Amino acid sequence: MKLSEIAEFLGLEYKGEDVKITALNSLLRANFTELSYCDGEKNAKDIANTGAAAILVGKEYESLVPKDTKALISPNPHLSFAFVSKLFAKPLFSEVRVQNIAKSAKIMPNVYLGNNIHIGENVIIMAGAFVGDNVSIGDESVIHPNVVIYNDSIIGKKCHLLANCVIGSDGFGYAHNKNGEHHKIYHNGNVILEDFVEIGACTSIDRAVFDSTIIKAGTKVDNLVQIGHNCQVGQNCIIIAQTGLSGSTQLGRNVIMGGQSATSGHLKIGDFSTIAARGGVSKNLEGGRVYGGFPIMLQKDWLKLQAKIAMKFKDKN
């Protein structure tokens, strides 16, 4: 679409030189044909370094926009971006069926196979699975019954996806208007599972807004886990049942997340960390330590605190 058409669609004023917009992207990854946005102070620092053709931006940050980038002024750039994301959302399926399926692959009845898929040697796909367009499944991977693999997902070699897990669903992202109504942000990224990854039953891994949600080689994810959009999980991590990772969380290698633990978004947990069961991570954590409780602290300090509270309560009674 032309930038002038996007401005008209959003009801925004734009009188500058027109440019063709081919896609949406983040400030630091956008190129000269892509539209990005700045929704506030937290990413305003990235405006000066963007290569985007245009940016949806508030009036207060207009002066930061580079001279080669067009500024599309919006009173609510986040909401405007949500509206535009629908225009660039990819179709859910294609009527065409061009497929590259290895002869050694075993595919059971009632499996849906999309367009432009690649299925490697000795892959097993069990009954009821959905494999969307542009999906790649590496050699010797096993897809159990009723697994959903949405468009553009990449599954490595020797992965195991257990029953009813969902790979590449839309992330939980909304923009809000003045009336408190929620408008969906369409996610156009994907999910990448590297080699030797196992995903438990009924676990959901959301696709990225842009770019990729990545689960690196050797990581094992238990049942009933939620991994949000744009997360990056390092090699050989262990994530136990009912854990939740909020969007853009980054785990280093060999991180262990105990059952019912969780993170807030946009934080980093260092290599070889352990989060005890029900630990609530609300800040960046150094690697090589065991943490627990909420607010998160060293597990040994959490245990001492609980002992003191118990003693205090006992004394009062």
Side-chain angles (χ1 to χ4, degrees), residues 99-159:
Q99 300 167 342
N100 180 8
I101 302 174
K103 291 183 179 180
S104 60
K106 296 178 175 62
I107 300 174
M108 293 183 178
N110 300 318
V111 171
Y112 177 89
L113 299 176
N115 179 47
N116 193 35
I117 61 171
H118 174 86
I119 297 176
E121 300 290 344
N122 299 308
V123 168
I124 298 173
I125 304 180
M126 298 185 187
F130 174 95
V131 180
D133 295 347
N134 309 311
V135 166
S136 174
I137 301 176
D139 299 346
E140 300 184 45
S141 288
V142 180
I143 312 302
H144 287 254
N146 300 318
V147 168
V148 175
I149 307 175
Y150 278 106
N151 297 356
D152 305 311
S153 297
I154 299 173
I155 312 300
K157 297 178 181 179
K158 297 185 179 181
C159 291

Side-chain angles (χ1 to χ4, degrees), residues 78 82 170-176 183-187 206 209 229:
H78 195 208
D170 254 12
F172 192 75
Y174 298 87
H176 321 290
H183 295 273
K184 182 177 180 61
I185 295 173
Y186 288 79
H187 291 56
D206 294 343
V209 181
H229 60 81

Side-chain angles (χ1 to χ4, degrees), residues 262-317:
T263 72
S264 56
H266 300 271
L267 54 75
K268 297 179 181 180
I269 299 177
D271 299 346
F272 296 95
S273 294
T274 296
I275 310 302
R278 294 192 173 184
V281 184
S282 54
K283 61 183 180 180
N284 294 337
L285 298 177
E286 295 180 7
R289 297 186 176 188
V290 180
Y291 300 92
F294 182 82
I296 199 75
M297 62 183 70
L298 291 175
Q299 175 70 350
K300 62 181 182 180
D301 294 337
W302 172 256
L303 294 175
K304 290 177 182 177
L305 176 61
Q306 297 309 301
K308 289 180 179 180
I309 292 173
M311 291 299 294
K312 193 75 171 178
F313 182 79
K314 183 178 179 180
D315 292 343
K316 286 185 176 181
N317 290 276

